[in-house]
Amino acid sequence: MIRIRRPGQPGPLLALVLLLALPTAARAAEPTPSPDPRWPLDLPTRYLTSNFMEYRPGRFHAGLDLKTQTVTGFPARAVEDGWIVRVRATPTAYGRAVYLRGDSGRTYVYAHLERFNDELRGRVEARRARSGQYRVRLEFRRDEIRVRRGDVLGLTGQSGTGGPHLHFEVRDADNRPVDPQLVGFAVPDTIAPRIVAVRAWPVTDAARLEGASAVRLLEGADGLTGVQPALRVAGPVALSARIVEQADVRAHRLEPSLIELRVDEQVVYACRNEGFDFGENARQRLEWVDVPGVRERWLHRHPANDLRGRSGQLWFLGPQGEGLAAGAHRVRLRAVDAAGNATELEFDLVVGADAGAGDGTGGAEPAWRAVPDALRIATPDSSAAIRVTPFFDTPEPAVFAAVPGLRRLEFRPGDGDPVQAPLVVYAQPAELDSLQRLAAADQGLAALGSAREFVAAAWPIEASLPVTLPRAALPAGGDPVTGEDGTPAVAGSASRGLYRWDGREWDFVETWPRADEPEARVRIGSPGLYAAFADVAPPRFAPGPDLVSVEPAAPTGVPGVTGPRWQVLPVPVFDRGEGLDLATLDVRLDGRPLIVEPDPPRDRLLVAFPDDLPAGPHRLEIGVADRAGHRAEAEIRVILTE
């Protein structure tokens, strides 16, 4: 018999120490801030695990992630007087979230909560009783649910995300996220950002850096400051940098508030992370170089990047597009965090037709060392290769002749393609290696003979890119794809899916199109290896005991937030193919329907038993299908003990 016990409760809450708001420039569209906003948590420390406008794949982080000591259950409090405008509960994304409209006009978002306060929870449960679904979205009229500064809105948790923390956002009157640290929610910080690396990229095939066409890298594990060695170049050369902000001793890697580049004392690029519009998330792809082994911020503003706080141009092209004028140019890079801590480095960019004739080190390792700069597509005998960089590619006819099926795809904004800038993508047929085949078998996937590698050194797409793949077919000879028990597992095309290799396993992308054309139109979200598989395995319930004992839950200790009578029972269930189809989830307790919480980040269901359920034995029945249509069922005997 297994006893499910609740993690230890947090100790007594310490007194709140209010922070003075950092002075900021007033904006005409910005509402008047609350005169005395309070911190949303009562913890003695204010550590961030993520900050505003940090890198996320294809989007910006819209707030602060406040560390909650790796546990759940702390009160999340209203930072000012106002009213609740929205409550949401979803298995992923923000999980349980509360939206508070302050009297100042700002909106505050509290996400990943473990539990709502009693009033909000009552309304959510009433909606669930009517809909029969876990997902809930409630909108409220102005002043329908008034709250006062300091009121508890819920308890911190990890719903919809990978670990305990509070995601906290501040939005202006137009629902645009702004940096909470600039409007009264700053954290103590005396640590300056670190400039870990600066990378120089040739912008044309003819450009040279220290006499060669390879990228040059200047890096220091402890950070680069002060005067650095000169870099000698010929032709236009762009720069990128890896900059790490650290606000506290926990060393979480954050994003600076300001990055500024000067050339010959003129500001040629500036990036201020003060605010953005959700509709501008795709601009993030114009600001970062993200290729295998490299993720850094560009130190120039792309012409299509119209984000607030960005200024500058393609300074490296010079007036004629051929690069900066001959001679030495002083480059200064400065990074500043929200508390004003700053780091600066400088070096000379020496430009000239013969400036890259040699590195002048006498055989010693140069400070700006050569590193791989591009993706390469080579012939089987490596006699020729196509070089693919963020700025140009070098298509060679010999490679196309030697690599069957190799294609060069061009996308342009003016042609109606979903891109923000011209994009070149190479696509080539691919064979799966032993590791990829082993991972597929372990995930219950059967290969359908359609795999292709998409290669691109830039990815300025709006959302996802339409491409074509050869039609996925059943194995030759008409042999059926079978499941673990040997029975046919593919019925029609519903079981066929497109997957992307992430280096360890296959991630489901989308269900394979049903049309009968020789090629299928699919959409991909990033470069990489894609393959078609049939999902032949049903979902799996983790093995467990025949009888599970559940004890009463401990009180929350927070007025206004009543805890459940019984502890929540986690039931592990997962599908490593197309994934669970939560619309098919059917849970019954003693034969009656029961709504449970899916917890996808941890591959489980969270079963909350009704408070009026009496102690004693009960029967829990769970059935769920994956998106390929395979169904699995489990029956768990539960005994509730006083």
Side-chain angles (χ1 to χ4, degrees):
M1 181 179 294
I2 295 180
R3 295 183 180 273
I4 309 298
R5 298 188 181 276
R6 181 182 179 87
Q9 298 294 302
L13 299 177
L14 300 182
L16 173 69
V17 180
L18 296 176
L19 292 178
L20 294 175
L22 291 177
T24 58
R27 297 176 181 272
E30 188 79 355
T32 303
S34 173
D36 191 19
R38 62 154 290 157
W39 194 254
L41 298 175
D42 292 334
L43 298 179
T45 56
R46 299 180 179 181
Y47 292 149
L48 302 181
T49 59
S50 296
N51 69 341
F52 188 68
M53 291 189 77
E54 263 190 36
Y55 174 94
R56 295 292 186 272
R59 64 179 179 87
F60 296 106
H61 188 245
L64 304 179
D65 284 350
L66 309 181
K67 190 174 180 63
T68 58
Q69 302 177 351
T70 70
V71 297
T72 64
F74 293 105
R77 298 184 180 273
V79 297
E80 66 167 288
D81 295 352
W83 70 97
I84 304 301
V85 293
R86 181 183 306 147
V87 169
R88 296 181 62 185
T90 61
T92 56
Y94 282 15
R96 293 183 188 85
V98 174
Y99 296 70
L100 165 66
R101 180 73 54 79
D103 288 342
S104 65
R106 289 198 177 104
T107 296
Y108 304 95
V109 182
Y110 302 72
H112 310 312
L113 299 176
E114 178 181 62
R115 197 167 181 84
F116 296 122
N117 69 23
D118 291 346
E119 180 172 5
L120 298 179
R121 182 170 54 85
R123 293 178 182 245
V124 167
E125 291 182 350
R127 173 61 62 87
R128 285 193 180 126
R130 295 193 300 271
S131 69
Q133 302 293 322
Y134 173 77
R135 289 179 179 269
V136 169
R137 176 187 172 113
L138 299 177
E139 306 279 348
F140 302 107
R141 300 184 303 275
R142 181 186 179 97
D143 294 336
E144 180 178 349
I145 304 179
R146 286 289 303 182
V147 296
R148 299 295 302 273
R149 178 183 179 278
D151 285 352
V152 177
L153 306 179
L155 303 181
T156 63
Q158 57 182 350
S159 59
T161 191
H165 69 273
L166 176 67
H167 175 84
F168 178 70
E169 290 180 20
V170 179
R171 301 182 184 178
D172 65 17
D174 296 319
N175 200 42
R176 297 176 302 187
V178 297
D179 185 356
Q181 293 205 77
L182 300 182
V183 291
F185 300 96
V187 299
D189 181 6
T190 59
I191 305 172
R194 286 185 299 124
I195 303 175
V196 178
V198 178
R199 197 177 306 256
W201 302 77
V203 174
T204 67
D205 192 24
R208 293 293 180 266
L209 297 80
E210 300 291 354
S213 62
V215 162
R216 291 281 168 164
L217 176 66
L218 179 69
E219 62 181 345
D222 297 326
L224 302 168
T225 60
V227 179
Q228 299 294 321
L231 175 66
R232 295 178 300 165
V233 305
V237 173
L239 301 176
S240 66
R242 185 163 72 253
I243 305 173
V244 176
E245 159 64 355
Q246 177 183 335
D248 53 61
V249 295
R250 300 295 182 180
H252 297 290
R253 295 191 171 191
L254 311 176
E255 182 67 16
S257 180
L258 167 66
I259 298 174
E260 183 180 83
L261 185 74
R262 293 174 178 264
V263 176
D264 298 332
E265 300 305 324
Q266 178 183 359
V267 176
V268 296
Y269 172 69
C271 168
R272 296 180 181 273
N273 288 330
E274 297 177 343
F276 69 97
D277 188 286
F278 284 111
E280 299 169 335
N281 259 326
R283 302 292 188 269
Q284 184 261 11
R285 294 187 172 97
L286 299 172
E287 298 203 308
W288 291 80
V289 51
D290 191 359
V291 296
V294 179
R295 184 200 296 163
E296 296 173 355
R297 179 178 286 280
W298 287 118
L299 298 180
H300 62 264
R301 187 185 70 82
H302 193 285
N305 185 0
D306 54 3
L307 283 168
R308 283 184 292 164
R310 275 53 172 169
S311 62
Q313 65 282 331
L314 302 180
W315 56 268
F316 49 78
L317 293 178
Q320 304 298 324
E322 298 178 355
L324 300 179
H329 301 270
R330 180 50 57 101
V331 176
R332 299 180 188 272
L333 175 60
R334 183 168 177 258
V336 187
D337 63 23
N341 304 301
T343 295
E344 184 174 302
L345 67 77
E346 58 185 87
F347 61 90
D348 281 340
L349 196 62
V350 181
V351 181
D354 59 349
D359 59 35
T361 61
E365 177 70 17
W368 290 83
R369 61 185 179 89
V371 293
D373 69 321
L375 305 168
R376 293 181 182 272
I377 302 172
T379 60
D381 60 2
S382 299
S383 60
I386 295 174
R387 183 183 182 198
V388 186
T389 80
F391 295 97
F392 62 90
D393 63 315
T394 57
E396 294 193 19
V399 179
F400 285 93
V403 180
L406 179 63
R407 298 166 63 186
R408 183 178 186 271
L409 311 175
E410 291 191 32
F411 301 88
R412 299 183 180 280
D415 297 337
D417 296 325
V419 295
Q420 304 170 87
L423 169 63
V424 171
V425 179
Y426 284 86
Q428 61 179 329
E431 292 291 334
L432 305 187
D433 61 29
S434 58
L435 176 61
Q436 293 159 352
R437 291 183 178 277
L438 183 62
D442 186 56
Q443 293 178 238
L445 303 175
L448 296 179
S450 180
R452 185 158 290 180
E453 178 89 16
F454 292 93
V455 178
W459 201 248
I461 65 171
E462 291 284 356
S464 57
L465 197 67
V467 297
T468 57
L469 281 172
R471 172 64 51 186
L474 293 178
D479 296 331
V481 178
T482 58
E484 295 175 331
D485 59 359
T487 60
V490 174
S493 60
S495 296
R496 298 176 175 85
L498 178 68
Y499 293 77
R500 183 184 184 278
W501 177 248
D502 72 358
R504 296 174 301 173
E505 63 180 12
W506 293 96
D507 293 333
F508 175 73
V509 177
E510 65 176 20
T511 300
W512 198 262
R514 295 172 178 261
D516 296 327
E517 289 81 3
E519 291 188 322
R521 193 75 163 170
V522 294
R523 304 186 73 88
I524 62 175
S526 62
L529 174 63
Y530 289 80
F533 292 98
D535 183 347
V536 300
R540 300 177 185 177
F541 288 89
D546 295 331
L547 182 64
V548 177
S549 176
V550 177
E551 299 176 351
T556 66
V558 179
V561 186
T562 304
R565 177 185 175 189
W566 304 106
Q567 294 174 5
V568 173
L569 173 66
V571 178
V573 58
F574 58 92
D575 184 89
R576 298 181 64 195
E578 291 196 25
L580 296 177
D581 181 359
L582 295 178
T584 69
L585 181 62
D586 180 26
V587 181
R588 295 184 179 272
L589 179 63
D590 299 331
R592 295 187 297 273
L594 180 68
I595 299 174
V596 302
E597 176 185 353
D599 187 15
R602 278 158 287 278
D603 290 327
R604 63 183 184 175
L605 304 174
L606 299 177
V607 180
F609 298 99
D611 290 345
D612 59 359
L613 191 66
H618 298 275
R619 187 177 78 259
L620 187 66
E621 299 170 286
I622 303 174
V624 65
D626 61 18
R627 282 178 284 197
H630 309 305
R631 189 169 181 83
E633 296 180 347
E635 181 175 325
I636 303 173
R637 291 189 298 150
V638 178
I639 183 167
L640 304 183
T641 61
E642 292 291 359

